[in-house]
Amino acid sequence: MHFSATIDYAADVETVATMLADPRYVARKAAATGALGSREEVVRDGEAFTVTSRLKMPTTMVPAKFRALVGETIEVVLIEAWAAPAADGSRSSTFSLDIHGVPVRVSGTQHLAPSGAGTTETYHGDVKASIPLFGRPIEQAAVNTVEKVVDVERRVALEYLATP
């Protein structure tokens, strides 16, 4: 199932990229998602960077009828691999989200581009659940969760950027 989302920032692309690669921002974002615990790692390769977030999440994001299948917590690994800036200053990434023990895969792309008011970040991705009979409702629940996480990221990012 496909999803897309957009976040607008009142900052230039370089400032937004710097925020996305800041371990303090990544930790704030993890805490704001409701993670019970997290480990964040940022690895730089020149101007490119990869952010890996390992989260221990409550199963409240899992539809109630499926919670018994996953236990009280789930381990989630999010990897965002950001390329160096393009000639126009824009940046692109690929991302993947793996939920350990659950046959659901989330993957896609992110793009930072200059806009009239600063920077626009766009997400495009797909959720695939390989569970016979229940795949579609689980995919829909995962898309709903992704939308909530993007809302959290928007809130945390705007607060981060507003703090000098």
Side-chain angles (χ1 to χ4, degrees), residues 99-117:
I99 305 168
H100 293 269
V102 179
V104 175
R105 188 83 177 137
V106 180
S107 61
T109 60
Q110 293 166 272
H111 189 73
L112 295 176
S115 66

Side-chain angles (χ1 to χ4, degrees), residues 10-41:
D12 60 54
V13 173
E14 184 178 339
T15 300
V16 174
T18 299
M19 171 188 72
L20 296 174
D22 182 343
R24 293 173 298 156
Y25 166 74
V26 178
R28 267 195 222 175
K29 184 172 70 168
T33 63
L36 302 172
S38 68
R39 288 190 339 245
E40 299 79 23
E41 178 183 31

Side-chain angles (χ1 to χ4, degrees), residues 38 45 78 80 89:
S38 68
D45 182 9
L78 172 63
E80 300 169 277

Side-chain angles (χ1 to χ4, degrees), residues 4-162:
S4 60
T6 302
I7 301 175
D8 291 310
Y9 302 107
D12 60 54
V13 173
E14 184 178 339
T15 300
V16 174
T18 299
M19 171 188 72
L20 296 174
D22 182 343
R24 293 173 298 156
Y25 166 74
V26 178
R28 267 195 222 175
K29 184 172 70 168
T33 63
L36 302 172
S38 68
R39 288 190 339 245
E40 299 79 23
E41 178 183 31
V42 177
V43 176
R44 297 180 182 278
D45 182 9
E47 292 187 75
F49 60 92
T50 299
V51 179
T52 303
S53 301
R54 298 177 192 287
L55 310 168
K56 182 177 181 180
M57 299 294 296
T59 55
T60 53
M61 72 167 85
V62 177
K65 61 185 171 186
F66 301 116
R67 287 185 194 148
L69 303 172
V70 295
E72 293 181 18
T73 62
I74 53 177
E75 299 294 323
V76 176
V77 178
L78 172 63
I79 301 172
E80 300 169 277
W82 287 93
D88 67 354
S90 66
R91 285 185 177 257
S92 294
S93 84
T94 58
F95 68 86
S96 65
L97 184 130
D98 183 38
I99 305 168
H100 293 269
V102 179
V104 175
R105 188 83 177 137
V106 180
S107 61
T109 60
Q110 293 166 272
H111 189 73
L112 295 176
S115 66
T119 299
T120 298
E121 181 176 19
T122 55
Y123 297 81
H124 294 285
D126 292 290
V127 176
K128 178 69 178 152
S130 54
I131 303 170
L133 302 176
F134 297 110
R136 190 79 171 158
I138 290 174
E139 287 173 357
Q140 184 59 57
V143 166
N144 293 343
T145 299
V146 167
E147 290 169 357
K148 290 176 186 172
V149 169
V150 170
D151 286 341
V152 167
E153 181 163 350
R154 178 181 294 110
R155 181 178 51 79
V156 172
L158 294 177
E159 289 170 3
Y160 180 97
L161 291 170

